[in-house]
């Protein structure tokens, strides 16, 4: 097989994370999703919950201005960033990008989100997947989440926009650009069908019967 890494970008509520998990199991590869969060926390020496707060998000304009001023020494006499207080979305994205490149170097892994499709776009041994779904299916899926708010459609739209903004801000890519991906597929076809289609596209033998 010519591919060593699979990246999975996904619309919120499409079930892309579960599809990535199944693909990793079928391929016998490592899955970098929540595991990536833990690695970032370890590298930054912060609590994993703090990393999740900034995961696939972009800092506010005011925060970025303040951070640049702190880094340049303008606020040095007033603010001394250290530890968790210095961790933000930019730090998270930078560490994530480094870990993504290291994961590619090691090979045999499935990387979920975090702009991996852009970070590794120039690598010929990486297969890039985008999972989407019809809105009604996504609403039904996120309705089962314990943290689901009242307006599910609004939440879905906001989460998609957040992920899109993260990719554009950190990599200069359009998250939904079809040219970033080898395959874009509707998860309402069913998880088993999607997994089989991806494995076929990657030229991995699929189970018969």
């Amino acid at each position: 097989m010519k591919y060593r890494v699979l990246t999975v970008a996904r619309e919120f509520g499409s079930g892309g994370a579960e599809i990535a998990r199944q693909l990793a199991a079928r391929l016998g590869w490592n899955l970098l999703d929540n595991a990536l969060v833990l690695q970032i926390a370890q590298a930054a020496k912060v609590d994993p919950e703090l990393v999740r707060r900034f995961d696939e998000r972009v800092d506010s304009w005011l925060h970025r201005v303040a951070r640049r001023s702190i880094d340049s020494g303008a606020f040095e006499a007033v603010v001394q960033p250290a530890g968790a207080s210095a961790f933000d979305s930019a730090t998270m994205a930078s560490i994530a990008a480094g870990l993504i490149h290291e994961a590619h170097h090691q090979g045999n892994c499935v990387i979920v989100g975090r702009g991996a499709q852009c970070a590794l776009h120039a690598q010929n041994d990486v297969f890039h997947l985008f999972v989407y779904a019809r809105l009604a299916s996504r609403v039904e899926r996120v309705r089962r989440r314990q943290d689901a708010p009242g307006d599910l459609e609004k939440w879905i739209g906001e989460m998609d926009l957040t992920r899109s903004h993260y990719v554009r801000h950190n990599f200069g890519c359009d998250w939904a650009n079809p040219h970033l991906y080898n395959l874009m597929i509707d998860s309402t076809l069913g998880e088993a069908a999607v997994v089989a289609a991806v494995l076929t596209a990657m030229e991995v033998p699929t189970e018969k019967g």
Side-chain angles (χ1 to χ4, degrees), residues 12 17 54 98 102 106 111 115 122 126 129 135 143 145 165 167 197:
F12 184 64
F54 292 110
E102 177 59 27
Q106 297 293 330
I111 308 173
V126 181
L129 171 67
L135 182 59
R143 194 190 306 279
R145 294 176 55 130
H165 191 191
V167 169

Side-chain angles (χ1 to χ4, degrees), residues 10-12 56 159-167 175:
R10 70 280 184 235
E11 288 186 331
F12 184 64
E56 294 188 288
M159 290 298 293
D160 281 351
L161 185 62
T162 295
R163 290 175 178 176
S164 176
H165 191 191
Y166 176 90
V167 169
W175 177 63

Side-chain angles (χ1 to χ4, degrees), residues 179-202:
H179 296 288
L180 288 175
Y181 306 101
N182 299 94
L183 179 66
M184 302 178 79
I185 192 166
D186 183 356
S187 63
T188 57
L189 295 170
E191 292 174 357
V194 171
V195 169
V198 174
L199 293 176
T200 297
M202 294 178 69

Side-chain angles (χ1 to χ4, degrees), residues 9-42:
R10 70 280 184 235
E11 288 186 331
F12 184 64
S14 66
E18 171 59 22
I19 288 169
R21 186 194 67 78
Q22 293 185 27
L23 283 164
R26 287 289 303 277
L27 290 164
W29 289 359
N30 293 315
L31 176 65
L32 289 183
D33 191 356
N34 290 329
L36 187 60
V37 169
L38 297 177
Q39 289 183 14
I40 292 170
Q42 183 178 12

Side-chain angles (χ1 to χ4, degrees), residues 36-46 51 87-102 166:
L36 187 60
V37 169
L38 297 177
Q39 289 183 14
I40 292 170
Q42 183 178 12
K45 296 180 173 58
V46 298
V51 178
F87 188 88
D88 56 14
S89 296
T91 304
M92 184 271 169
S94 177
I95 296 174
L99 290 172
I100 286 168
H101 283 288
E102 177 59 27
Y166 176 90

Side-chain angles (χ1 to χ4, degrees), residues 56-126:
E56 294 188 288
R57 284 167 170 77
V58 176
D59 295 316
S60 69
W61 174 84
L62 181 59
H63 178 93
R64 296 198 299 272
V65 170
R67 182 60 185 266
R68 283 196 295 269
S69 298
I70 290 169
D71 291 343
S72 67
F75 294 161
E76 188 173 358
V78 181
V79 181
Q80 291 293 332
S85 63
F87 188 88
D88 56 14
S89 296
T91 304
M92 184 271 169
S94 177
I95 296 174
L99 290 172
I100 286 168
H101 283 288
E102 177 59 27
H104 170 256
H105 177 72
Q106 297 293 330
N108 294 346
C109 63
V110 178
I111 308 173
V112 180
R114 286 85 185 182
Q117 73 274 36
C118 301
L120 302 178
H121 187 64
Q123 306 298 330
N124 294 327
D125 57 355
V126 181

